Amino acid sequence: MQSYYNMNQTTLSIALDYVPEENHPARYIDTLVESLKIDYHYQFGRPREYDLAAMLKLVLLAYTYGIFSSRRIEQFARENKPAGWFIAGQVPSYRTICRFRISEELAQLTTESLNNLTVFLKEQGLVDDVSFIDGTKILADANKYSFVWRKNTVRFDKMNRDQLVTMLGELHEAKVIGEVPAGSELTPESLDAIIGVIEDKLVTLDEEVQATKKVSPNPAKRQRRTLKSQKRKLDERCQKMREHQQQQAIYGNRNSYSKTDHGATFMRVKEDPMQNGQLKPAYNLQIATSNQFITGFDLFQNPTDTRTFPTFLAHLKSQQALGKIVVADAGYGSESNYRYCEDELDEHTFLVPYGTMLKENSRKWRSDDRKVMNWDYHEKDDYFIDPHEVRFNFNRYSERTDKYGFTRQFKEYVAEKYDENHQLIPAALTPKGNLRRISVNEAWEYFKAKERKLLSAPETGSIYAQRKIDVEPIFGKMKASLHFNRFSVRGLDKVKNEAGIVVIALNILKLTAVGRLRRQKEHIKNTKLRGIRVIRRDALMPLLLYSGSEDRPCSF
């Protein structure tokens, strides 16, 4: 800076065109958004006051900087030069930014942007035909103490209906209404009809009271007072029944939701400062990556990854983002998922271990006599022999259906009670004296053997070994670097739009890092071709330390 500095002197303002430097995230964002060829036609209603392309560029750039608030994005647009380059100096208000983030057009824009970016990455050879799948929980914009539980709703609804039955019985004894048949289903509509009968009875009592004003004590007044009290209580119970039905509709297939954000489900998240395992309102974000680029994502209200797997795979296939090889951790390994993959996606290879795969290789597991897999099996006659020489013969087939509607097939084996000499075998009985029985799920054993074979092979095993260094760093970049731990909008559709913005921003940052690395390699290569010796700074560190100061390097 010059020695003479005066901010109040008269100057001549000269407008200069600004262009971001090479390999800046703004350049990638500009190329990506321009490839969408956004063409918005005004038809009805109030015309849009902002350009969709400019707003999308601004929001994407703000998210790459870790700025998620609408007010801070407005400040960012006013003070940041690349952001000003996007909006051509026209700073939108925070209300405009907020309306854009929850608009219906944003969902289509983020989907098309991610698809175009994935196509570009494939053309550049930056992604391969392997999809690594994993999920994480992200907090919702909701109060953590605003929970509503399905079990409580069911319990309160039962109590409310029991009290309604009692009240209707009292009204029947008072000959106000007719008898309600036992076991009949009470609905708000039927209660409204009963309340209408009570109101008609109250009108009759009002006329009777007017006709007998001078009678004291007046039995009509007493009956009217009692009937009014019963009607008020019946109105309250009917309103409670409507609330419970509304809550059941909000639950869907979930067990909880938040009063502040009905789309959020209470689940355990890693952000647990109190270390007490408290459930918090959150969403389950599932992503598919390849070479640390996100090729697909979806948002779920289920806290467990197992139930999201088939739906997410179908979504990836519809978006043409599912690789030939799919890799996921043991949280996705279940019989229902394996069966879905084999029936619906047989052209893909799935490297998904099951939960006990590592334990089955341990010495403790293999030496456990209680594990059926350690018993001797004779396939010809279909029987097992346990380590106590007890024979288990096939008895029957059985089925079990879980609460999600998935049916498993089992083969039941029963121990032989007597030996060849017709002597009782003590080891064939349980401690209570019943015959020992075991159930074997042949389909589950088949899928387990298939995954063990795939993951034991050197080629596929090396691919699975890349899972931790491919998909896990994405979540670290999202939460630790960008500090995106909580959504800023409410509602499943709006939250999914914001998740799309975050996913594209992470891809832009990764693309920028790859471009920077390539430029450094090209610079080193060109320098070597010119015959200039390149000395790395880490190679000079011992000499700098020996000289005592980095500012005064030693001569050599």
Side-chain angles (χ1 to χ4, degrees), residues 309-328:
F309 198 50
T311 307
F312 187 43
L313 291 178
H315 172 73
L316 292 177
K317 187 176 181 180
S318 64
Q319 298 293 329
Q320 298 181 355
L322 187 62
K324 290 296 181 182
I325 300 177
V326 180
V327 182

Side-chain angles (χ1 to χ4, degrees), residues 251-464:
Y251 284 127
N253 296 325
R254 300 177 293 163
N255 293 323
S256 64
Y257 73 88
S258 171
K259 296 177 184 177
T260 316
D261 183 3
H262 290 176
T265 307
F266 278 79
M267 35 181 110
R268 284 185 174 84
V269 297
K270 292 183 179 179
E271 291 80 6
D272 189 13
M274 299 297 292
Q275 299 294 322
N276 57 358
Q278 181 183 6
L279 301 181
K280 297 178 182 178
Y283 291 91
N284 189 356
L285 175 64
Q286 297 287 317
I287 63 172
T289 66
S290 180
N291 291 334
Q292 296 186 358
F293 285 100
I294 303 176
T295 57
F297 80 97
D298 204 353
L299 207 68
F300 295 91
Q301 298 170 303
N302 302 328
T304 56
D305 293 338
T306 308
R307 294 178 57 199
T308 65
F309 198 50
T311 307
F312 187 43
L313 291 178
H315 172 73
L316 292 177
K317 187 176 181 180
S318 64
Q319 298 293 329
Q320 298 181 355
L322 187 62
K324 290 296 181 182
I325 300 177
V326 180
V327 182
D329 60 12
Y332 298 87
S334 67
E335 184 184 347
S336 58
N337 289 344
Y338 290 146
R339 186 176 297 179
Y340 173 82
C341 295
E342 184 159 305
D343 295 342
E344 304 294 334
L345 304 170
D346 55 343
E347 68 276 9
H348 297 266
T349 302
F350 291 88
L351 304 180
V352 184
Y354 49 94
T356 59
M357 185 171 177
L358 292 178
K359 292 183 179 179
E360 289 180 2
N361 296 328
S362 64
R363 182 182 301 176
K364 181 179 179 181
W365 186 285
R366 293 183 177 276
S367 61
D368 192 350
D369 296 342
R370 296 171 297 177
K371 307 299 182 184
V372 180
M373 62 175 294
N374 297 328
W375 295 3
D376 295 330
Y377 176 66
H378 298 267
E379 185 177 1
K380 183 178 180 180
D381 296 327
D382 195 12
Y383 66 89
F384 286 90
I385 296 180
D386 72 350
H388 300 287
E389 301 299 329
V390 179
R391 176 168 172 167
F392 286 77
N393 298 316
F394 171 74
N395 183 34
R396 66 185 180 93
Y397 291 98
S398 62
E399 291 183 353
R400 298 177 192 173
T401 303
D402 58 17
K403 60 180 180 180
Y404 305 115
F406 181 73
T407 302
R408 293 175 173 84
Q409 308 287 338
F410 290 89
K411 292 179 67 176
E412 185 182 89
Y413 294 82
V414 181
E416 285 188 349
K417 189 174 183 180
Y418 301 100
D419 59 9
E420 296 177 352
N421 300 323
H422 300 283
Q423 298 295 322
L424 179 65
I425 304 175
L429 302 178
T430 63
K432 293 185 177 181
N434 299 321
L435 276 177
R436 293 172 57 192
R437 300 172 184 269
I438 60 172
S439 296
V440 178
N441 188 343
E442 289 188 333
W444 177 234
E445 297 299 329
Y446 160 75
F447 291 129
K448 288 167 61 176
K450 181 179 178 181
E451 290 301 323
R452 281 198 302 267
K453 182 179 179 180
L454 282 173
L455 295 172
S456 300
E459 183 178 355
T460 52
S462 61
I463 295 176
Y464 180 78

Side-chain angles (χ1 to χ4, degrees), residues 72-289:
R72 291 191 61 196
I73 293 176
E74 178 188 356
Q75 181 183 3
F76 174 77
R78 185 178 294 108
E79 299 175 355
N80 187 269
K81 292 184 69 176
W85 177 61
F86 278 151
I87 60 178
Q90 301 178 2
V91 181
S93 66
Y94 72 91
R95 293 186 180 89
T96 302
I97 297 171
C98 187
R99 283 196 297 269
F100 171 74
R101 293 167 66 189
I102 63 176
S103 62
E104 296 179 356
E105 295 88 356
L106 185 58
Q108 183 179 359
L109 292 177
T110 53
T111 302
E112 293 179 359
S113 299
L114 185 59
N115 292 340
N116 289 0
L117 185 58
T118 304
V119 171
F120 169 77
L121 294 174
K122 289 181 179 179
E123 293 175 352
Q124 298 296 321
L126 295 176
V127 298
D128 49 26
D129 210 12
V130 180
S131 296
F132 296 89
I133 294 178
D134 205 353
T136 186
K137 276 75 170 184
I138 300 180
L139 294 174
D141 184 22
N143 193 312
K144 62 182 179 180
Y145 297 114
S146 59
F147 39 76
V148 184
W149 305 105
R150 179 188 288 272
K151 288 184 178 180
N152 285 345
T153 300
V154 173
R155 180 164 58 91
F156 293 150
D157 185 58
K158 184 178 182 304
M159 293 169 55
N160 185 50
R161 290 177 181 274
D162 292 342
Q163 293 179 0
L164 279 171
V165 170
T166 303
M167 293 175 60
L168 294 178
E170 294 176 354
L171 291 172
H172 173 64
E173 291 179 359
K175 298 182 180 180
V176 178
I177 61 174
E179 184 180 2
V180 178
S184 59
E185 183 69 20
L186 294 178
T187 61
E189 292 75 16
S190 62
L191 292 178
D192 289 338
I194 294 174
I195 292 173
V197 174
I198 296 175
E199 289 176 349
D200 295 340
K201 182 67 175 178
L202 286 174
V203 172
T204 304
L205 288 175
D206 288 337
E207 295 175 355
E208 187 175 348
V209 168
Q210 292 295 329
T212 58
K213 283 185 178 180
K214 297 182 180 181
V215 178
S216 180
N218 196 332
K221 280 187 177 181
R222 185 181 304 171
Q223 186 178 1
R224 185 182 63 176
R225 189 182 304 115
T226 303
L227 199 58
K228 280 185 176 181
S229 176
Q230 291 175 333
K231 177 183 174 297
R232 184 181 67 254
K233 293 179 181 178
L234 201 60
D235 285 332
E236 294 175 356
R237 297 300 171 191
C238 184
Q239 183 61 29
K240 281 291 183 182
M241 182 180 290
R242 285 194 171 91
E243 291 179 6
H244 295 156
Q245 289 183 351
Q246 192 175 27
Q247 290 176 359
Q248 291 287 359
I250 295 174
Y251 284 127
N253 296 325
R254 300 177 293 163
N255 293 323
S256 64
Y257 73 88
S258 171
K259 296 177 184 177
T260 316
D261 183 3
H262 290 176
T265 307
F266 278 79
M267 35 181 110
R268 284 185 174 84
V269 297
K270 292 183 179 179
E271 291 80 6
D272 189 13
M274 299 297 292
Q275 299 294 322
N276 57 358
Q278 181 183 6
L279 301 181
K280 297 178 182 178
Y283 291 91
N284 189 356
L285 175 64
Q286 297 287 317
I287 63 172
T289 66

